[in-house]
Amino acid sequence: MSSTLRIDYKTRLKAASVWLALILILSISFKVSNVSIPNLISGLSNSVDLVKEMFPPDFSQWKRILFLSFQTIAMGFWGTVIGIMASILLGFLSAKNTSGGVLYYVSRLIVNFLRSIPEIMYAIIFVVTIGMGAFSGVLAIALSTIGILSKFYAEAIESIDSRPVEAIQATGSHKLGVIRYAIIPQVLPLFMGYNLYMLDHNIRVAMILGVVGAGGLGLELFASMRSFDYQRALAILIIIFAIVTIIDRISAQLRRRIIEGKSHNRKNLYVNTISILAILSVGLISVYFIPIDPEEIRSGIPKIIEFTKGMFPPDISNLETYIKLMLETVSMAISGTFLAVVISIPIGILSAKNVMNNPIMYNGMKEISNFLRAMPELMFALVFVAAVGLGPFAGVLAIALHTAGFLGKFYAEAIENIDGKPLEAIEAVGAKLIQKVRYAIFPQIIPLFNSYNLYILDRNIRASTVMGVVGAGGIGFELVMSIKLFEYQKAATIILLTLLTILLFDWISSYLRRRIV
């Protein structure tokens, strides 16, 4: 009995220690990132005034907006295509069961490096070296895609059933034969799902790269906000929301068909053929919207080499300042993630079909989640900077709202996939919504809930590194200014510090997710 009490006491003490540590970290993060409810309340009037000034939306330049919309889609599409082609080889080289030795470790290092640098940082470098325009955006998206997709591919390859591989090897087949007949058939559905996810993600990313001059709608939106032309800005935001929502739903539908195996059903051959032709048509047509000047590329390559050489040795004279800014950046991510969790819990519960029987409430919450997810963080940041002023608080609010869209969707899907028997049992005794959530839903989704939160925190660390680009705090502003002023050695220090921070949190997040799962 005493042994049981000791174990229970240790468990309670450990849980209390974890909670105290979380509260301490959150308190410090709120303080460092200047989270202030009074500031938010006083800034609400500015937000209301800003929203009022946006109406009615100005579509008078609809031709230019339409052109930039197609250019944005083209950037996301071709960045994804280039990324996929490079990621297939790198994915196999960085998987333990298809690679080995020095090649495996070098490939993993390349993947981790490419994945750790946010797209907008790549965009800044290419805009400075190659020039402004959509081509710089395509290259930025492609490099980031290679890092993300290669990791996804490698994990999929490592998790395959080894029995088909052993059977093919037993026949004396060479390595390429094993990959062709034993590995690819197993990973192809997952690969297709990942590719569609990346296309969806990259079109969102393409929306914001224009903020640093890499083409697309982001450039026009940023110019409109800077010139206080809020009615035109609203028109662009409406178009962005429409594009992202349509792409999101098409991508989700196609991913569902692949997962459920419908894509291989002969009855759906006609639909699949039309889908493939439509994608190919988009690819061919979109070439028009990304003008590529061979001379510009030729002259840009020496500039990239010069930029890289100019970064060494890194200038650490302002390292203390950069570390403080990085702490501010991390604090923004932690604070924004916490607020996103608070906002997302009611959204996720009320947009789950098996909990909310009211179709108006259910569909309304789904649309709120879609809207928050569709608007990139930097676009929210532009609005909040106008509302609460320059600084990290605007970045916290931007991260919180955008992330709430993702978490709301994740929570709703997790709730919809729970075992329905406990929920039916508690409904049978007349339990209220809060009681159903407390006793039938939360006990089933807590592991997934924690895993999603850690994944989003990991993602938000990356997102927060670029908030400073629009004046929303963190280290992003210093990075942009150091590159614009040709202080490449200082830029190298910031990039390396950012890289180390992201890798550290990536490792912590992966470790904690493994413990939870």
Side-chain angles (χ1 to χ4, degrees):
M1 183 71 176
S2 59
S3 175
T4 305
L5 288 172
R6 276 198 302 272
I7 292 170
D8 187 54
Y9 173 74
K10 286 180 181 178
T11 304
R12 288 172 180 269
L13 184 62
K14 187 177 179 181
S17 301
V18 170
W19 278 107
L20 283 173
L22 289 173
I23 290 168
L24 181 62
I25 291 169
L26 192 59
S27 300
I28 294 170
S29 298
F30 272 31
K31 185 177 173 98
V32 172
S33 53
N34 297 334
V35 173
S36 168
I37 300 302
N39 263 1
L40 178 60
I41 293 170
S42 64
L44 284 177
S45 59
N46 293 335
S47 300
V48 171
D49 291 340
L50 180 63
V51 171
K52 283 180 180 176
E53 289 183 43
M54 286 182 163
F55 288 92
D58 178 11
F59 287 98
S60 60
Q61 297 186 29
W62 65 270
K63 288 183 180 179
R64 176 167 173 74
I65 294 174
L66 190 63
F67 176 85
L68 291 173
S69 299
F70 283 119
Q71 187 179 78
T72 302
I73 294 169
M75 285 166 58
F77 180 86
W78 281 106
T80 305
V81 169
I82 295 169
I84 289 169
M85 290 190 292
S87 299
I88 293 171
L89 176 60
L90 198 53
F92 278 97
L93 291 176
S94 54
K96 282 183 179 178
N97 51 344
T98 54
S99 185
V102 176
L103 192 60
Y104 166 75
Y105 290 104
V106 170
S107 299
R108 294 288 286 194
L109 182 64
I110 292 170
V111 169
N112 287 332
F113 177 79
L114 293 175
R115 187 169 54 88
S116 298
I117 298 178
E119 296 91 346
I120 203 162
M121 286 193 183
Y122 286 125
I124 292 167
I125 293 168
F126 285 125
V127 165
V128 169
T129 53
I130 293 177
M132 295 179 68
F135 185 60
S136 293
V138 170
L139 293 177
I141 290 170
L143 282 180
S144 179
T145 298
I146 293 167
I148 296 170
L149 268 187
S150 296
K151 183 175 187 289
F152 287 168
Y153 288 172
E155 289 176 350
I157 294 164
E158 289 173 348
S159 63
I160 62 169
D161 183 354
S162 60
R163 286 173 296 182
V165 175
E166 292 166 1
I168 296 290
Q169 286 175 337
T171 64
S173 179
H174 53 76
K175 202 161 190 175
L176 287 177
V178 172
I179 291 172
R180 168 66 183 84
Y181 296 105
I183 297 177
I184 290 178
Q186 293 190 64
V187 298
L188 189 58
L190 271 176
F191 277 24
M192 293 298 292
Y194 292 148
N195 295 344
L196 287 168
Y197 165 77
M198 283 309 303
L199 177 61
D200 178 19
H201 168 79
N202 286 341
I203 289 174
R204 295 173 195 273
V205 168
M207 300 287 179
I208 61 170
L209 294 187
V211 170
V212 293
L217 278 170
L219 181 62
E220 194 74 5
L221 176 65
F222 190 59
S224 300
M225 294 295 288
R226 280 288 180 89
S227 61
F228 307 106
D229 190 351
Y230 297 132
Q231 291 176 318
R232 187 170 56 143
L234 178 59
I236 296 167
L237 286 171
I238 290 169
I239 296 297
I240 288 172
F241 174 66
I243 291 171
V244 171
T245 300
I246 292 167
I247 295 292
D248 177 66
R249 295 191 178 182
I250 292 172
S251 176
Q253 182 66 24
L254 289 173
R255 286 200 303 272
R256 191 157 49 245
R257 285 165 61 83
I258 289 168
I259 292 168
E260 293 173 357
K262 291 181 180 179
S263 58
H264 301 293
N265 191 323
R266 288 187 177 183
K267 293 180 181 179
N268 293 287
L269 182 61
Y270 178 74
V271 176
N272 293 337
T273 304
I274 293 295
S275 300
I276 292 168
L277 289 173
I279 291 170
L280 290 174
S281 299
V282 168
L284 292 172
I285 294 168
S286 63
V287 173
Y288 170 76
F289 298 96
I290 305 178
I292 298 174
D293 184 353
E295 178 58 31
E296 196 174 61
I297 297 170
R298 191 193 64 78
S299 62
I301 292 172
K303 290 179 184 176
I304 293 173
I305 295 170
E306 182 185 341
F307 175 84
T308 306
K309 286 181 179 177
M311 295 174 77
F312 295 96
D315 180 358
I316 59 171
S317 59
N318 293 325
L319 184 60
E320 187 178 346
T321 301
Y322 297 152
I323 290 173
K324 286 179 181 177
L325 287 171
M326 185 53 72
L327 288 173
E328 183 178 271
T329 298
V330 172
S331 297
M332 285 165 54
I334 294 171
S335 303
T337 303
F338 173 77
L339 293 177
V341 170
V342 173
I343 297 167
S344 302
I345 290 173
I347 292 176
I349 292 168
L350 296 176
S351 57
K353 279 183 179 179
N354 54 343
V355 175
M356 184 49 55
N357 297 321
N358 186 328
I360 296 174
M361 178 66 75
Y362 164 77
N363 287 312
M365 284 297 168
K366 290 283 272 190
E367 289 308 316
I368 289 172
S369 179
N370 287 336
F371 172 75
L372 295 176
R373 201 168 65 255
M375 293 293 106
E377 297 100 329
L378 281 183
M379 297 189 184
F380 276 128
L382 285 168
V383 174
F384 283 121
V385 163
V388 299
L390 297 168
F393 188 34
V396 170
L397 294 173
I399 289 170
L401 284 185
H402 177 69
T403 302
F406 281 100
L407 283 180
K409 183 185 180 186
F410 291 163
Y411 293 169
E413 289 176 351
I415 293 168
E416 287 174 348
N417 290 321
I418 63 170
D419 182 357
K421 292 176 184 176
L423 188 59
E424 291 168 6
I426 202 167
E427 283 176 340
V429 297
K432 295 180 181 178
L433 178 61
I434 293 176
Q435 293 170 317
K436 288 191 285 185
V437 171
R438 169 68 182 84
Y439 296 105
I441 295 174
F442 268 8
Q444 296 190 60
I445 67 165
I446 283 295
L448 269 178
F449 179 89
N450 290 331
S451 181
Y452 290 149
N453 295 343
L454 286 168
Y455 164 75
I456 285 293
L457 175 60
D458 181 23
R459 175 193 174 279
N460 285 346
I461 295 290
R462 290 175 171 80
S464 62
T465 58
V466 296
M467 287 289 114
V469 171
V470 293
I475 205 165
F477 178 76
E478 287 295 324
L479 175 65
V480 174
M481 291 310 298
S482 63
I483 292 175
K484 284 186 175 179
L485 296 173
F486 307 105
E487 295 174 335
Y488 298 147
Q489 291 172 313
K490 289 183 178 179
T493 303
I494 296 170
I495 290 171
L496 286 172
L497 183 60
T498 302
L499 179 63
L500 289 173
T501 304
I502 290 173
L503 286 174
L504 174 63
F505 274 88
D506 182 56
W507 179 83
I508 292 170
S509 177
S510 297
Y511 171 77
L512 291 174
R513 282 203 300 274
R514 281 196 304 272
R515 291 288 299 270
I516 290 168
V517 175

